[in-house]
Amino acid sequence: MDELLRFFQRELPEINEFLDHEADQLNGLVRDVAKYILGSGGKRIRPMLTLLFARALGYGKDDYQAIACALELLHSATLLHDDYLDEAELRRGREAAHLVFGRTETILAGDALLALANEMGARYGNPRLSWLLAKGIMETAMGEIEEIEFSRSPSLDRETYMRIIIGKTARLIECACRCGAALAGATPEQEDAAGEFGLNLGIAFQLVDDALDYASPTSETGKPEGGDLKEGKVTLPLILLMEEGDEAGAEVLLEALKEGRLSDAQTADILGQVREGGYSEKTREEAALYVEKAKACLDGFAPGDELVVLKQAADFVLTRTK
Amino acid sequence: MDELLRFFQRELPEINEFLDHEADQLNGLVRDVAKYILGSGGKRIRPMLTLLFARALGYGKDDYQAIACALELLHSATLLHDDYLDEAELRRGREAAHLVFGRTETILAGDALLALANEMGARYGNPRLSWLLAKGIMETAMGEIEEIEFSRSPSLDRETYMRIIIGKTARLIECACRCGAALAGATPEQEDAAGEFGLNLGIAFQLVDDALDYASPTSETGKPEGGDLKEGKVTLPLILLMEEGDEAGAEVLLEALKEGRLSDAQTADILGQVREGGYSEKTREEAALYVEKAKACLDGFAPGDELVVLKQAADFVLTRTK
């Protein structure tokens, strides 16, 4: 993973500086919210992927920051609105923005970041980029809505679960990769390959996220263990557990999740069963399949530094513990 | 005003049908909110202006709806978020969306409409259109934020007031006009003239709105009389009144507005003074100046049906009573 680490160390300061500079231009009412969410230790996976694909496809200019950072802003905008609507208390181990800055500031900061992201993407006068970004914004908004709908009437259906994680996570990562390709003026085939890589990586990323939720202690992820279950969210570890149980039990659980009346004892019991059955690990195994699919999408790319880093980034998704 | 009326009667059904069709594609959780706000009797001024400028500048194709309606969606998105954050109870005489559909649905519908607007604008593959729309979205978001900041620390400064109404209303109307010109492949000079027209018309429109708030009964505008004052909003009729009073009185009023402790007696007193002093009418006179400025921007346009309608539309802004 040396190349990956070096790449991030080299490129991250410029990305962060650019994000900081853009946030500084915002109106005072929302500036601090924007800086707070952007400064809360995001992994900057989306900007890095845009940059990597642009470079891998031969883009030599140094103006990649606006489109790369647009995706990060869009992601942050979603987090702000989501956390407010979910009444989330924590984000990346820190108090959620709406609790620090208030409702109005947080909603408007989300709007402002979305608008800014879009404006940054339009700076290139590249219709393909604008289209990809517009589609990414639309899919992200729809994904957010689908997720909330799913949380209100949860099911243990894997297809629905996959659709949700694609909508809420993978499409935006796909968009980041496609934008890098489009910036480089890639062929449709190259852009599709980049997009496929991103889609599969995004799925793997969310699967690992959902696995970690059942596996790791608060200190590493910044989230309480089993937080998804406590919030009534159905994710793959739980689906895998229920697939091996009886249907009646599943019905009872769904009802309890829906009505938010899972007792502490029931929660502890399910967490124990997931642990014993190794369903968190099985979810990671599923993620590994998608990482392989992602890497296969890179077959047509010319060898080079970026390709090495992209492959390491795919592997890293699997090994991360927070 | 015959041509104006006939134009609206002829074109409105297609615009409304398009809006309805687009809203129908949205996810169920937000679809009804979108249809509710879009069906609440908006005047469709923005789409009409886009269409008029496109036609006035020679655009003959029939695919204008997406960009024209994008501006209407963007406007509706703003209304949804604004009304929720303001805790408004009424919008166009009907119960505000957040009270009918709830917080989550309303915020997400705003996000979805904004995303859809943007996507609709990107459909043309026209970088100038995407740029104008992106800028329009950004300015609208910033205008929204400035207005809320202004309402928290109101002043009786006319310059600030003008900046606020430009940000919250006029820029988007400017954008609608520019988009029409850009769709028609106008020269920069033509687009600027269209934009200037829209900016001045937008200012006039908001001035009349602010005048109406002090003048007309609930039944016509769908808003309670003096609603702005009761909400602590400073608009031109109040500024004009205070400009003729003493400074100490103005300070006392500002403090009371800021802390939301204007008594019913004080409110009635101010409403009476505005009425007696004719400050609502004076605000309309101010609006008339901007309507003249707007019409002057049309000097370079070739004579034709659209030009007649545009001039009538400008005049109509002044005469409307709701």
Side-chain angles (χ1 to χ4, degrees):
Chain A
M1 299 272 162
D2 284 359
E3 287 84 356
L4 175 66
L5 196 68
R6 272 204 298 275
F7 182 81
F8 266 70
Q9 278 171 347
R10 193 178 67 223
E11 304 293 347
L12 210 51
E14 201 161 316
I15 295 276
N16 282 331
E17 212 174 285
F18 191 88
L19 285 168
D20 211 49
H21 173 76
E22 290 292 334
D24 269 333
Q25 318 289 312
L26 294 173
N27 177 294
L29 193 69
V30 298
R31 191 190 305 126
D32 291 346
V33 192
K35 291 182 83 104
Y36 184 80
I37 187 83
L38 288 168
S40 67
K43 302 169 200 77
R44 312 293 189 229
I45 288 173
R46 293 160 197 82
M48 289 298 173
L49 287 170
T50 305
L51 173 57
L52 280 163
F53 275 103
R55 293 269 185 264
L57 291 163
Y59 193 69
K61 287 210 271 178
D62 243 351
D63 63 353
Y64 66 88
Q65 295 93 342
I67 184 64
C69 291
L71 283 302
E72 188 73 15
L73 293 187
L74 187 50
H75 174 59
S76 301
T78 313
L79 297 183
L80 289 175
H81 283 191
D82 269 358
D83 284 349
Y84 170 66
L85 294 175
D86 285 353
E87 296 171 24
E89 291 176 7
L90 287 176
R91 166 64 59 189
R92 296 171 184 153
R94 297 206 297 176
E95 205 176 355
H98 63 102
L99 298 176
V100 181
F101 299 98
R103 163 184 97 143
T104 301
E105 286 78 355
T106 302
I107 299 288
L108 291 177
D111 291 352
L113 286 180
L114 201 161
L116 180 58
N118 194 44
E119 188 261 330
M120 277 160 49
R123 285 181 199 168
Y124 297 85
N126 176 335
R128 183 70 194 158
L129 269 189
S130 290
W131 171 248
L132 287 172
L133 192 57
K135 211 159 145 262
I137 293 175
M138 188 69 197
E139 286 171 340
T140 303
M142 291 303 118
E144 211 176 334
I145 291 164
E146 278 211 330
E147 191 191 11
I148 290 185
E149 223 177 16
F150 182 61
S151 75
R152 287 184 183 179
S153 72
S155 80
L156 293 164
D157 172 36
R158 275 176 79 143
E159 258 179 61
T160 308
Y161 167 76
M162 288 304 292
R163 208 182 60 236
I164 300 295
I165 70 171
I166 287 173
K168 80 172 194 178
T169 304
R171 286 287 176 211
L172 195 58
I173 293 181
E174 176 187 351
C175 180
C177 298
R178 281 188 183 270
C179 283
L183 185 67
T187 65
E189 292 71 27
Q190 288 172 322
E191 194 202 289
D192 284 346
E196 276 286 297
F197 173 89
L199 185 69
N200 285 298
L201 191 72
I203 293 171
F205 183 84
Q206 189 59 50
L207 286 170
V208 171
D209 222 53
D210 292 346
L212 280 171
D213 188 83
Y214 277 91
S216 72
T218 306
S219 56
E220 278 202 80
T221 59
K223 296 170 198 160
E225 189 190 352
D228 285 344
L229 181 64
K230 287 170 195 159
E231 286 172 26
K233 273 189 199 162
V234 171
T235 60
L236 193 58
L238 186 66
I239 293 175
L240 292 174
L241 168 67
M242 299 315 285
E243 276 175 358
E244 299 192 4
D246 60 297
E247 240 175 79
E251 278 305 314
V252 172
L253 175 69
L254 275 182
E255 268 311 300
L257 284 175
K258 201 166 157 180
E259 291 168 20
R261 53 170 177 70
L262 210 63
S263 70
D264 288 351
Q266 282 173 301
T267 304
D269 178 43
I270 293 172
L271 289 178
Q273 286 184 53
V274 169
R275 213 177 297 124
E276 276 167 40
Y279 295 110
S280 173
E281 291 74 11
K282 284 176 185 158
T283 299
R284 271 178 186 279
E285 285 163 22
E286 189 85 3
L289 300 177
Y290 285 95
V291 166
E292 285 315 306
K293 276 196 202 178
K295 288 200 285 188
C297 299
L298 300 173
D299 284 350
F301 285 73
D305 292 352
E306 289 81 13
L307 203 66
V308 173
V309 175
L310 279 168
K311 286 180 182 166
Q312 289 186 0
D315 286 328
F316 179 71
V317 162
L318 277 188
T319 54
R320 73 194 179 96
T321 54
K322 63 174 184 175
Chain B
M1 298 271 159
D2 284 1
E3 288 83 357
L4 175 66
L5 196 67
R6 272 204 299 275
F7 182 81
F8 267 69
Q9 278 171 345
R10 191 177 70 225
E11 305 292 347
L12 210 52
E14 199 161 317
I15 295 275
N16 282 332
E17 211 175 285
F18 191 89
L19 285 168
D20 210 50
H21 174 77
E22 290 291 334
D24 269 332
Q25 320 289 311
L26 294 174
N27 177 293
L29 193 67
V30 299
R31 191 190 304 125
D32 293 345
V33 192
K35 291 182 84 106
Y36 184 80
I37 187 84
L38 287 169
S40 68
K43 304 169 200 77
R44 313 290 188 230
I45 289 175
R46 294 160 195 81
M48 289 300 173
L49 287 171
T50 305
L51 173 58
L52 279 163
F53 274 104
R55 293 269 185 264
L57 291 163
Y59 193 71
K61 286 210 271 178
D62 243 350
D63 64 352
Y64 67 88
Q65 296 93 342
I67 184 65
C69 292
L71 282 302
E72 188 73 14
L73 292 187
L74 187 50
H75 174 58
S76 301
T78 313
L79 297 183
L80 290 175
H81 283 192
D82 269 359
D83 284 349
Y84 170 67
L85 294 176
D86 283 355
E87 296 170 24
E89 290 176 9
L90 287 176
R91 165 65 59 189
R92 296 171 183 153
R94 298 206 297 178
E95 205 176 356
H98 62 102
L99 297 176
V100 180
F101 299 97
R103 163 183 97 142
T104 300
E105 286 78 354
T106 303
I107 300 287
L108 291 177
D111 292 352
L113 286 180
L114 201 161
L116 180 58
N118 194 45
E119 188 260 330
M120 278 160 49
R123 286 181 198 168
Y124 297 85
N126 175 335
R128 182 70 194 160
L129 269 190
S130 290
W131 171 248
L132 286 172
L133 191 58
K135 213 160 145 262
I137 293 175
M138 188 68 198
E139 286 171 341
T140 303
M142 290 304 117
E144 210 178 336
I145 291 164
E146 277 210 332
E147 191 192 10
I148 289 184
E149 222 177 17
F150 181 61
S151 74
R152 287 183 183 179
S153 72
S155 80
L156 294 165
D157 172 37
R158 277 177 77 143
E159 259 179 60
T160 308
Y161 167 75
M162 288 304 292
R163 208 182 60 239
I164 300 296
I165 70 171
I166 287 173
K168 79 171 194 179
T169 304
R171 287 286 177 212
L172 195 57
I173 294 182
E174 176 188 350
C175 181
C177 299
R178 281 187 183 272
C179 283
L183 186 66
T187 64
E189 292 71 28
Q190 289 172 321
E191 192 203 290
D192 284 346
E196 276 286 296
F197 173 88
L199 185 68
N200 285 299
L201 191 73
I203 293 171
F205 183 84
Q206 189 59 49
L207 286 171
V208 172
D209 222 52
D210 292 346
L212 280 170
D213 188 83
Y214 276 91
S216 72
T218 305
S219 55
E220 279 203 80
T221 59
K223 295 169 198 159
E225 188 189 353
D228 286 344
L229 181 63
K230 287 171 195 157
E231 285 172 26
K233 273 189 199 164
V234 172
T235 60
L236 193 57
L238 186 66
I239 294 175
L240 292 174
L241 168 68
M242 298 316 282
E243 276 176 357
E244 300 192 5
D246 59 296
E247 242 174 77
E251 278 306 313
V252 171
L253 174 70
L254 275 182
E255 268 311 300
L257 285 175
K258 201 166 157 181
E259 290 169 20
R261 52 170 179 69
L262 211 62
S263 70
D264 288 351
Q266 283 173 303
T267 304
D269 179 44
I270 294 172
L271 288 178
Q273 286 184 51
V274 170
R275 213 176 297 125
E276 277 168 40
Y279 294 111
S280 174
E281 291 74 12
K282 284 176 185 157
T283 299
R284 273 179 184 277
E285 285 163 23
E286 189 86 1
L289 299 177
Y290 285 96
V291 166
E292 285 316 306
K293 276 196 204 180
K295 289 200 285 188
C297 299
L298 301 173
D299 284 349
F301 285 72
D305 293 351
E306 289 83 12
L307 204 66
V308 173
V309 176
L310 279 169
K311 284 180 184 167
Q312 289 186 359
D315 286 329
F316 179 71
V317 162
L318 276 188
T319 54
R320 74 195 178 94
T321 54
K322 64 175 181 174

